[in-house]
């Protein structure tokens, strides 16, 4: 290894000229055009089945914009015993990091742990390489995003991997630069375990239909939905938000979102009354479940049965009435009115039979209302009373940050915001099952994933979830491409902040790429790293014990890791994972010896 270290100590050694500077940069770094990034170690360690990432940052001193290309990638295997399943070039993906506009980077009140707070263009979008290659812009730092996608059957050992960067001669007629960037990859001889807690990022089907201009639940819409679910699963999501009826989320009171309703409703009478009879069709729901399972979804999260912020009304529900599709419930429907209660009674009985028919009853979660406040306890309680007899055999979760909801037995599995969760974590008060979530409001002192935040602030979530035995994670925005309150649709390539409502990056993790294919962001990759860290800690616990895993968090130095008290240095989260990897490696070697 000494020869290799000497050869690649400076990745800029083999070069044609000095106009292009290159650095190996951490996946947690966000490379801004006018700020030189810090170089990181050129060794990555991964478990089988894991994706690990890094960046090649480059700075062009030439006068004109040109285009570059990765003209050559080479892999040399060292200390690898299994020659049948070598890590290979097909397991490497290379994308260019593009800048996106961020007009609203943070709320008026913010802490010191933001990279920048001025409007501008920031690195976030990851785009596949095309024939043009990657942009090389004069006097600017840019970067390439490299993923090592480790197969589950990859041969363990050490690999030396180098990338040759040169200008794209098919676009620019003569060769201007040639540089080699090199890293080492060590694959440990153990597979990253599956995620053992639910992780949901709400998929907004209406936003997909609007952006791609396709009819809801048409063949093309289903094709696009499948691509987005597949991407979510690939990045550690195992639960899918299921629109039984149009989700009553992020909608202005009296307004409405595009109808996305999986359940067909047939009203036998010509108008809604407290005695009306209904029939239900579950064909689309069955297709949804089958599609989710095909993509790797394990848990199904039913859309909310009542409106957001207090459960005062029914969601928008469309039905066939005298051979016409009409809206029968919505903002004007009292949540606990006799008409809607009668409907829910019939619907939930039918849905229960359907769920058992599909055999997913142990993997279904229900919601009452999203984010009710303390002064809405009464309406929430009343709404729950209407449905609890039908839901008693299912998981019931809601985003609730006031401990009184749990104390009054209104919710058994609270999903608590990260800035209020300390009230739920004391031994004598802790719920048996406790989730965590964050959104736009969690902007001070806690982990989040706004574009303007450092990557380490996003990634440390995995360590926090492990440390406090959190039972699930929820976020509202996998692909919310609307303004706040869904007043109108937006172009997420131009507006990353729900048009000035939420800090840029909060509404979505993926961009709607061409042909219905989502384009990922730096943030979804770092979220994936966070859950890989959690899974690695769980593996170490299995191989040794929980105390050994917690010891890697180095709490003697920093104090107990909490959701609002944690080291903000990038080195911390990196070093925690290094320690976890080292302990896993030692445990594997010990097992092999014995």
């Amino acid at each position: 290894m000494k020869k290799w270290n000497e050869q690649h100590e400076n990745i800029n050694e083999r070069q044609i000229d000095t106009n292009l500077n290159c650095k190996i940069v951490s996946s947690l770094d966000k490379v801004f055009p006018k700020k030189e990034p810090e170089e990181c170690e050129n060794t990555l360690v991964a478990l089988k089945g894991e994706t690990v990432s890094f960046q090649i940052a480059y700075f062009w001193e030439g006068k004109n914009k040109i285009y570059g290309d990765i003209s050559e990638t080479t892999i040399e295997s060292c200390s690898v015993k299994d020659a049948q399943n070598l890590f290979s070039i097909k397991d490497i993906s290379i994308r260019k990091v593009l800048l996106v506009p961020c007009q609203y980077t943070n709320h008026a009140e913010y802490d010191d742990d933001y990279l920048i707070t001025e409007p501008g263009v920031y690195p976030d979008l990851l785009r596949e390489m095309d024939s043009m290659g990657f942009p090389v812009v004069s006097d600017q730092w840019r970067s390439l995003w490299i993923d090592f996608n480790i197969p589950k059957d990859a041969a363990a050992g050490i690999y030396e991997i180098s990338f040759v960067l040169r200008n794209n001669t098919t676009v620019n007629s003569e060769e201007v630069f040639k540089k080699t960037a090199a890293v080492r990859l060590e694959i440990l001889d153990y597979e990253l375990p599956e995620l053992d807690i639910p992780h949901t990022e709400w998929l907004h089907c209406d936003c997909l239909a609007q952006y791609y201009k396709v009819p809801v639940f048409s063949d093309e819409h289903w094709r696009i939905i499948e691509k987005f679910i597949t991407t979510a699963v690939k990045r550690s999501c195992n639960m899918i938000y299921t629109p039984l009826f149009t989700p009553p989320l992020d909608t202005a009171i009296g307004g409405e979102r595009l109808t996305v309703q999986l359940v067909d409703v047939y009203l036998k009478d010509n108008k809604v009354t407290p005695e009306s009879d209904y029939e239900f069709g579950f064909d689309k729901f069955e297709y949804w479940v089958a599609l989710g399972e095909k993509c790797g979804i394990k848990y199904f999260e039913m859309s909310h049965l009542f409106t957001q912020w207090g459960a005062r009304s029914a969601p928008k529900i469309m039905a066939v009435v005298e051979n016409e599709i009409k809206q029968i419930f919505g903002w004007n429907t009292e949540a606990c009115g006799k008409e809607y209660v009668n409907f829910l009674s019939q619907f939930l009985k039918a849905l229960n039979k359907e769920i058992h028919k599909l055999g997913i009853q142990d993997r279904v979660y229900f919601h009452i209302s999203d984010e009710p406040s303390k002064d809405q306890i009464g309406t929430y309680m009343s709404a729950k009373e209407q449905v609890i007899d039908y839901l008693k055999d299912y998981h019931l979760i809601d985003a609730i940050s006031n401990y009184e909801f749990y104390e009054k037995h209104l919710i058994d599995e609270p999903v608590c915001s990260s800035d209020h969760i300390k009230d739920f974590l004391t031994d004598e008060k802790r719920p048996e099952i406790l989730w965590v979530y964050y959104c736009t409001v969690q902007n001070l002192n806690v982990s989040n994933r706004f574009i303007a935040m450092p990557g380490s602030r996003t990634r440390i979530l995995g360590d926090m979830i492990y440390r406090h035995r959190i039972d699930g994670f929820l976020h509202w925005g996998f692909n919310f491409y609307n303004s706040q309150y869904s007043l109108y649709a937006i172009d997420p390539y131009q507006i990353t902040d729900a048009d000035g409502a939420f800090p840029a990056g909060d509404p979505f993790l993926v961009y709607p790429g061409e042909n219905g294919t989502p384009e990922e962001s730096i943030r979804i990759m770092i979220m994936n790293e966070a859950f890989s860290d959690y899974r690695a800690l769980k593996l170490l616990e299995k191989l040794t014990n929980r105390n050994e895993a917690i010891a890697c968090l180095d709490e003697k130095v920093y104090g107990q890791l909490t959701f609002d008290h944690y080291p903000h240095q990038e080195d911390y989260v990196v070093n925690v994972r290094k320690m976890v990897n080292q302990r896993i490696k030692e445990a594997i070697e010990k097992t092999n010896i014995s």
Side-chain angles (χ1 to χ4, degrees), residues 62 79 99 173 268 354 358 360 385 399 422 471 541-542 579:
S79 306
L99 306 174
S173 58
K268 292 183 179 180
E354 179 66 24
L358 298 177
I360 59 172
E385 287 175 351
K422 65 175 63 175
D471 298 293
E541 178 182 329
K542 177 183 177 181
M579 182 67 70

Side-chain angles (χ1 to χ4, degrees), residues 123-365:
D124 189 58
L125 172 61
L126 302 179
R127 177 160 291 170
E128 299 291 340
M129 300 284 280
D130 53 25
S131 59
M132 292 291 288
F134 56 86
V136 184
V137 181
S138 179
D139 197 39
Q140 288 191 12
W141 282 98
R142 297 291 183 94
S143 68
L144 299 174
W145 188 273
I146 318 294
D147 294 318
F148 292 156
N149 306 299
I150 316 300
K152 292 182 178 181
D153 62 349
I158 295 175
Y159 300 80
E160 300 163 358
I161 306 165
S162 61
F163 303 87
V164 176
L165 285 68
R166 67 176 71 194
N167 81 294
N168 192 333
T169 54
T170 62
V171 179
N172 313 292
S173 58
E174 60 183 50
E175 191 169 67
V176 179
F177 65 83
K178 180 181 179 183
K179 296 293 176 68
T180 298
V183 296
R184 174 185 294 138
L185 170 66
E186 181 177 4
I187 300 176
L188 302 183
D189 198 14
Y190 223 101
E191 184 179 331
L192 187 71
E194 288 187 10
L195 184 62
D196 63 351
I197 60 172
H199 172 200
T200 180
E201 304 278 346
W202 287 351
L203 178 71
H204 299 271
C205 296
D206 60 328
C207 293
L208 298 180
Q210 287 169 172
Y211 183 85
Y212 289 105
K213 296 180 174 56
V214 298
V216 172
F217 298 137
S218 61
D219 289 346
E220 182 63 8
H221 193 210
W222 281 117
R223 187 186 69 83
I224 294 167
I225 289 171
E226 180 175 357
K227 285 178 175 288
F228 275 72
I229 295 177
T230 298
T231 296
V233 170
K234 185 178 180 181
R235 302 306 176 203
S236 299
C237 293
N238 55 14
M239 174 181 267
I240 192 71
Y241 188 80
T242 301
L244 299 170
F245 306 112
T246 302
L249 302 169
D250 302 287
T251 307
I253 295 176
E256 65 176 73
R257 294 174 64 163
L258 178 66
T259 300
V260 283
Q261 179 174 317
L262 287 172
V263 178
D264 294 323
V265 179
Y266 301 90
L267 176 62
K268 292 183 179 180
D269 309 316
N270 59 7
K271 65 176 182 179
V272 175
T273 71
E275 291 79 30
S276 293
D277 287 332
Y278 299 91
E279 290 183 355
F280 305 96
F282 291 102
D283 289 350
K284 290 191 289 292
F285 176 76
E286 291 181 2
Y287 188 85
W288 176 274
V289 171
L291 179 63
E293 291 184 326
K294 171 188 172 184
C295 295
I297 289 293
K298 183 176 182 180
Y299 306 103
F300 293 90
E301 177 187 12
M302 302 296 104
S303 57
H304 298 73
L305 298 174
F306 301 89
T307 51
Q308 194 173 21
W309 307 309
R312 296 184 182 276
S313 302
K316 179 173 74 169
I317 296 178
M318 309 298 290
V320 176
V321 184
E322 295 184 322
N323 298 318
E324 292 185 20
I325 297 178
K326 297 180 180 180
Q327 182 173 338
I328 58 172
F329 299 117
W331 285 111
N332 294 327
T333 306
E334 184 183 348
C336 298
K338 293 180 180 179
E339 292 82 1
Y340 188 52
V341 170
N342 171 56
F343 170 84
L344 284 175
S345 173
Q346 296 180 54
F347 169 64
L348 292 175
K349 289 177 183 176
L351 179 61
N352 180 60
K353 290 181 181 179
E354 179 66 24
I355 288 171
H356 279 77
K357 170 186 169 183
L358 298 177
I360 59 172
Q361 60 270 16
D362 296 331
R363 299 182 280 128
V364 169
Y365 290 69

Side-chain angles (χ1 to χ4, degrees), residues 551-565:
C552 295
L553 301 176
D554 204 7
E555 295 184 325
K556 293 180 180 178
V557 175
Y558 298 102
Q560 184 178 348
L561 186 72
T562 68
F563 284 90
D564 61 2
H565 173 78

Side-chain angles (χ1 to χ4, degrees), residues 49-110:
E50 184 174 10
T51 293
V52 293
S53 309
F54 70 99
Q55 297 176 83
I56 301 175
Y58 57 91
F59 181 85
W60 177 234
E61 297 177 356
K63 294 182 179 180
N64 301 313
K65 175 184 177 182
I66 59 176
Y67 288 88
D69 198 7
I70 301 290
S71 63
E72 182 181 350
T73 301
T74 59
I75 301 177
E76 298 178 17
S77 57
C78 309
S79 306
V80 180
K81 298 179 180 179
D82 182 4
Q84 299 299 315
N85 296 301
L86 293 177
F87 179 80
S88 65
I89 292 175
K90 66 178 175 58
D91 303 317
I92 301 174
S93 64
I94 304 172
R95 293 177 284 183
K96 48 192 174 184
V97 180
L98 300 185
L99 306 174
V100 299
C102 299
Q103 299 182 58
Y104 187 69
T105 60
N106 51 276
H107 292 311
E109 188 179 8
Y110 58 92

